[in-house]
Amino acid sequence: MKSQIEGPEPDRRYTQEEYFQLLTDSTHKFEFVNGYLVAMAGASINHNRICQNLSRGVGNALVEKGGECEVFGSDQKIAVPLRNSYFFPDLSIVCSPIQESEPDTIVNPTVLWEVTSKSTHGFDAGGKFNYYQSLPSLQEFILVDQYAAFVSLYRRTTSDTWQIVQLQSVADTLRLESMGIELSLAEIYRGVDFAE
């Protein structure tokens, strides 16, 4: 779950160097949105269950398929150079060779996932997706709702066009065409209690 506050000094714009230093010095994690800081808050139990299910399911599917793509969790920083921004998506799939804009900062993800909450859904689906679209390597972007079985898949069809596929039942199966793998919503939502 992410809180959209602008960091230690509200309304102040930070340089990239200040941002990197803050990440080094702070016990907290921040995203960097064109100079402004967005503090990363703790996550709910359902959010963590979904992320764990995704990491296990996608990771196993990629291993079975073979190839040179791997899964990274929410501590992996992704750079969006054209938008002067850095994000920590809940899950990333990156294929070799990994390209870094700075040490430990990936710039060529193929698939990005965000598990949304009430406070983050608007930004994840709007501004953040708009920024992610500027990454030439990105082929698919997935939003996973943590309150109901609802997954939105955005698939790049041309450099400027995205197709949306929405799945709304645990009986549905999500297909990542860029990876050639499938993941059932039942697997994504295993152990999730929507009553929470």
Side-chain angles (χ1 to χ4, degrees), residues 39 76 78-79 99-100 103 105 116 120 128 142 155 169 182 193:
Q76 180 57 61
I78 300 293
Q99 298 171 15
E100 298 177 80
T105 305
T116 65
T120 66
K128 191 178 284 190
I142 301 102
R155 181 176 293 128
S169 167
E182 293 183 345
D193 181 359

Side-chain angles (χ1 to χ4, degrees), residues 27-132:
T27 57
H28 301 290
K29 190 163 61 173
F30 298 89
E31 292 184 322
F32 182 83
V33 185
N34 196 22
Y36 293 98
L37 301 181
V38 178
M40 307 291 288
S44 70
I45 291 172
N46 277 347
H47 182 283
N48 288 327
R49 282 179 179 144
I50 292 166
C51 288
Q52 183 63 33
N53 292 341
L54 288 172
S55 182
R56 181 176 41 250
V58 172
N60 288 342
L62 290 175
V63 167
E64 287 175 20
K65 183 178 184 297
E68 299 182 351
C69 299
E70 58 187 313
V71 176
F72 292 91
S74 63
D75 284 332
Q76 180 57 61
K77 188 165 65 232
I78 300 293
V80 184
L82 292 178
R83 299 302 186 93
N84 185 33
S85 297
Y86 298 86
F87 297 105
F88 291 93
D90 289 308
L91 203 75
S92 309
I93 301 176
V94 184
C95 300
S96 293
I98 291 176
Q99 298 171 15
E100 298 177 80
S101 57
E102 293 85 24
D104 299 319
T105 305
I106 294 174
V107 74
N108 66 320
T110 303
V111 182
L112 294 174
W113 305 71
E114 295 286 357
V115 178
T116 65
S117 68
K118 290 173 182 163
S119 64
T120 66
H121 180 80
F123 182 56
D124 288 343
K128 191 178 284 190
F129 176 48
N130 191 19
Y131 279 36
Y132 284 157

Side-chain angles (χ1 to χ4, degrees), residues 4-5 40 51 131 146 172 185 188 196:
Q4 294 183 36
I5 60 173
M40 307 291 288
C51 288
Y131 279 36
Q146 67 174 295
D172 290 336
L185 266 66
I188 292 172
E196 293 178 9

Side-chain angles (χ1 to χ4, degrees), residues 154-168:
Y154 297 83
R155 181 176 293 128
R156 190 186 297 267
T157 56
T158 68
S159 61
D160 297 323
T161 307
W162 293 77
Q163 171 191 31
I164 183 170
V165 176
Q166 293 185 321
L167 306 170
Q168 302 180 44

